[in-house]
Amino acid sequence: MKKVFLLPLYFLFFCIVVPFGAMFFAPQSEGAAETIAEESETVTVWNVSDDTTITLDMTDYITGVVAAEMPASFEVEALKAQAVAAATYALYRQGSHENGCDVCTDSAHCQAYLSEDEMRAKWGDEYDTYYSKIRSAAESVEGEYLTYNSEPVMAVFHSMGGGKTESSADVWGESVPYLVSVESPGEEEAANFHSSVTVTFEEFKNKILSQYPTAVISSQYDVSEPVLTDGGHVKSIIVGGCSISGTEMRTMFDLRSTMFTISFEGDNVTFNVTGYGHGVGMSQYGANAMAKEGKTYEEILSHYYSGATLEK
């Protein structure tokens, strides 16, 4: 009698109470992922070159971004990693422009983008081969993106970090948990891994004075040894009594990165530079080196965006 009496209560518990409780205790990240996926099938792009706005299918957009941002000759797994990073960044920037667009084609602000005509002009006879390769990579990771605390991450990237990437705190002054300094071996195979800029001492002095008029510069001894970041880039340097950030020096002298040393010879000042770009996030040449070693795009992304989650 007792067992017969309790059967209806068990039935009510599992059919009503358990499902009702699951509504409150189910993980939220899956719901967040579904919401983002539903809202991100298209992307509104502001083409800064002709001041027009276009709406693209997300995969079409990502194909154009990868074509513009990464050499088509790179390994497929590196192209996949770039595609995921580009899609994630588009979601991160969604609706951020004052004109209502999600992203723009200015690589200094958002991400570069190539139309089909621009891809044909860039690749010529190799268009079909390269387009198919990049399109296939973009389609294979369609719908995938990186999150941190269930939100799309700021998936920034650069060409090469000089052997080690930078933390966001050292470059932009804001600490982001998934944008920290990590090793980035294999970049040295790039043809322009090392570069240099040479100016006369008078040019060097005048450029500094144009931004720091109180600086007193009479010789090389007025230039101190730089303070370096964890990634080995110049964080700051004192010139003529004024502290100047590495990013300011890079801008003033049009350097490829903030990983540089300064040498003086006669009347010339030479900046010896390593790497290319701001150094934060994924290194493209580093990603390609990892892919050549057999690493997957998931492993590449996990390495460069520490602690971020790949949503599928």
Side-chain angles (χ1 to χ4, degrees):
M1 288 291 294
K2 197 170 186 180
K3 291 180 181 178
V4 173
F5 177 75
L6 289 175
L7 280 174
L9 294 180
Y10 290 148
F11 179 80
L12 287 173
F13 178 78
F14 284 104
C15 292
I16 298 176
V17 177
V18 171
F20 185 76
M23 293 172 59
F24 293 95
F25 296 105
Q28 296 301 306
S29 59
E30 183 177 348
E34 290 175 353
T35 300
I36 292 173
E38 290 171 0
E39 294 179 352
S40 61
E41 293 178 358
T42 61
V43 58
T44 305
V45 184
W46 174 35
N47 190 334
V48 297
S49 62
D50 59 9
D51 195 25
T52 58
T53 299
I54 53 176
T55 299
L56 298 169
D57 171 84
M58 179 62 87
T59 303
D60 290 339
Y61 170 68
I62 296 307
T63 301
V65 172
V66 176
E69 293 282 8
M70 179 174 273
S73 60
F74 273 19
E75 299 290 315
V76 171
E77 292 301 305
L79 294 172
K80 289 179 183 179
Q82 180 68 74
V84 174
T88 303
Y89 192 75
L91 292 174
Y92 174 82
R93 298 285 302 179
Q94 202 165 45
S96 61
H97 285 269
E98 292 181 1
N99 59 8
C101 291
D102 296 320
V103 290
C104 72
T105 58
D106 180 1
S107 61
H109 189 268
C110 290
Q111 302 179 128
Y113 168 82
L114 292 180
S115 65
E116 181 180 341
D117 288 342
E118 289 170 325
M119 283 186 258
R120 288 184 181 276
K122 178 180 180 179
W123 295 325
D125 293 340
E126 295 181 291
Y127 168 80
D128 289 336
T129 300
Y130 284 156
Y131 178 82
S132 177
K133 181 181 180 182
I134 290 177
R135 180 74 185 189
S136 177
E139 288 178 344
S140 69
V141 295
E142 188 173 9
E144 298 186 33
Y145 57 94
L146 295 163
T147 66
Y148 191 86
N149 290 337
S150 300
E151 295 293 334
V153 306
M154 183 170 64
V156 292
F157 49 87
H158 58 282
S159 181
M160 59 193 92
K164 198 171 184 181
T165 68
E166 285 279 76
S167 70
S168 62
D170 284 329
V171 177
W172 298 314
E174 181 179 353
S175 179
V176 179
Y178 50 81
L179 295 177
V180 296
S181 179
V182 298
E183 298 292 332
S184 188
E187 299 174 335
E188 58 276 3
E189 69 180 37
N192 53 5
F193 183 65
H194 294 293
S195 60
S196 64
V197 173
T198 299
V199 297
T200 66
F201 185 83
E202 194 65 20
E203 290 175 310
F204 173 79
K205 175 181 175 180
N206 289 338
K207 282 197 175 185
I208 298 294
L209 290 174
S210 67
Q211 300 296 318
Y212 293 86
T214 60
V216 179
I217 310 169
S218 58
S219 73
Q220 68 184 71
Y221 301 108
D222 294 315
V223 181
S224 72
E225 287 294 319
V227 175
L228 302 181
T229 65
D230 290 340
H233 292 235
V234 175
K235 186 170 187 177
S236 64
I237 185 170
I238 296 176
V239 181
C242 297
S243 180
I244 306 173
S245 70
T247 54
E248 288 178 289
M249 292 291 284
R250 181 190 176 197
T251 300
M252 274 192 279
F253 295 97
D254 196 23
L255 309 178
R256 288 171 62 84
S257 85
T258 55
M259 183 177 278
F260 62 84
T261 59
I262 305 176
S263 61
F264 299 85
E265 186 175 351
D267 191 41
N268 290 332
V269 181
T270 298
F271 293 86
N272 295 297
V273 187
T274 303
Y276 185 28
H278 51 61
V280 184
M282 185 180 73
S283 160
Q284 294 171 318
Y285 275 87
N288 197 48
M290 289 183 68
K292 285 183 176 180
E293 292 178 351
K295 302 296 185 183
T296 65
Y297 75 97
E298 294 101 331
E299 291 173 309
I300 294 169
L301 294 169
S302 176
H303 176 71
Y304 285 109
Y305 303 104
S306 306
T309 300
L310 182 63
E311 301 279 2
K312 297 187 178 182

